Amino acid sequence: MASGLQLSRDELLAAYRRMRLIREFEEAVHTEFSAGNIPGFVHLYAGEEASGVGVCMHLDDRDAIASTHRGHGHCIAKGCDPSGMMKEIFGRKDGLCGGKGGSMHIADLSKGMLGANGIVGAGGPLTCGAALTFKTLKTGGVAVCFYGDGASNQGAILESYNLAKIWNLPMIFVAEDNGYAESTASSWSVSGSQVGRGEGFGMPSRQVNGSDFFEVYEAAGEMIERARSGGGPSLLHVKLTRYYGHFEGDAMTYRLPDEVAQARQNSDPLNLFRQRVVEASLFSPEELDAIDKHAADLMAQTVIEAKAAPAPIEADLLTDVYYRY
Ligand SMILES: Cc1ncc(C[n+]2csc(CCOP(=O)(O)OP(=O)(O)O)c2C)c(N)n1
Ligand SMILES: [Mg+2]
């Protein structure tokens, strides 16, 4: 039995609820963006839920994560308020960042969410900084850097591997490999392997199936525990599939016609989770259906609230320009 199934019923439900909330959030953003209701640019995390949730289940508010341009799932997994996030994406005044950041800059420092980030690979140095702070102040905190297969080729990420290892920082690198950087397949652009790269820098490194919450949860748990107890950084290579385009509006001509349909049918992280816990007689399908319905209703309400929320006014342009530490 995978160790994740030894989680308590409450923990299993919390994990499933978080993954379902992310899925419903992303489906709602997809619908609203297609209808022309959302300004700016969005990149959806649907299909990748087990990674963010499997890792963040081990974290609390003293821990920090840095996210990517595909950040909604990481935000929800780390405990950000979905209603504040939706308002942020709609550019509303009471969005999580005052409506000034939008999809790619959602942050909530009170939750240790250092921010989604439009700069590919920028999370590496940020999390090294957070982890150095935790180590210096002996807070017991751990920092997690989420980044994509494309970002894994950025110099800033490779320099961060070196810093993290040489300073023995309490952090983990989570390479979320959905097989593409925009339209470029990682088989064309990534030399060697993510695990080989991590090991080259002296870090314990492992590849897991990102459709399998339990596999991610178990591997991340071991790595976070090691980081928390002074054992230094590790690298987790998570193989997964994104269900939508690189950005909303991407025609995805570079993917096989049935690629996404196959993944949705055969390796959906939510379906696999359901299958596992139902087969183990831990939950009935009806109990999980009730969570699905609650998440769908909550997201529908979140969209209604975001649409009704006030926009920033001109005077708001001059507030929050600098952050006061
Ligand atoms: C420094 C930098 N270079 C290039 C870009 C343009 N860009 C945005 S997303 C992206 C691909 C990132 O791919 P990956 O890291 O695999 O993340 P994914 O989109 O697959 O989640 C690129 C090249 C950018 N935003 N920042
Ligand atoms: Mg990618």
Side-chain angles (χ1 to χ4, degrees), residues 218-301:
E218 187 265 321
E222 185 190 309
M223 292 179 172
I224 290 167
E225 181 50 41
R226 178 166 46 244
R228 224 185 268 296
S229 55
S234 311
L235 185 148
L236 186 62
H237 177 195
V238 188
K239 295 277 289 174
L240 28 73
T241 305
R242 69 165 147 79
Y243 285 173
Y244 288 106
H246 169 66
F247 56 91
E248 280 306 88
D250 172 5
M252 289 204 280
T253 47
Y254 51 92
R255 299 182 87 170
L256 293 171
D258 62 345
E259 193 175 309
V260 173
Q262 288 284 341
R264 281 191 185 259
Q265 195 180 332
N266 301 327
S267 56
D268 181 73
L270 285 144
N271 288 347
L272 291 182
F273 186 101
R274 282 181 74 105
Q275 220 173 305
R276 292 278 286 284
V277 297
V278 170
E279 271 168 17
S281 305
L282 291 164
F283 295 99
S284 67
E286 292 73 29
E287 283 173 292
L288 300 173
D289 290 346
I291 290 186
D292 294 355
K293 182 170 181 331
H294 180 257
D297 291 348
L298 191 70
M299 286 310 142
Q301 186 57 32

Side-chain angles (χ1 to χ4, degrees), residues 41-106:
F41 227 52
V42 291
H43 308 79
L44 301 181
Y45 194 70
E48 306 190 5
E49 295 87 351
S51 175
V53 175
V55 171
C56 290
M57 282 284 289
H58 296 284
L59 306 178
D60 56 46
D61 287 354
R62 81 196 135 143
D63 302 314
I65 67 167
S67 175
T68 68
H69 51 286
R70 201 175 299 290
H72 309 160
H74 302 135
C75 290
I76 293 177
K78 192 66 173 66
C80 293
D81 168 37
S83 173
M85 287 172 57
M86 193 63 86
K87 287 178 188 149
E88 185 61 35
I89 291 170
F90 273 79
R92 303 306 196 210
K93 186 181 165 78
D94 46 359
L96 262 186
C97 304
K100 294 172 181 168
S103 164
M104 262 187 286
H105 304 98
I106 301 178

Side-chain angles (χ1 to χ4, degrees), residues 43 48 68-70 118-120 147-152 154 176 178 180-182 242 246:
H43 308 79
E48 306 190 5
T68 68
H69 51 286
R70 201 175 299 290
I119 304 172
V120 169
Y147 59 108
D149 46 292
S152 75
Q154 284 284 34
E176 295 187 318
N178 54 21
Y180 300 97
E182 298 197 353
R242 69 165 147 79
H246 169 66

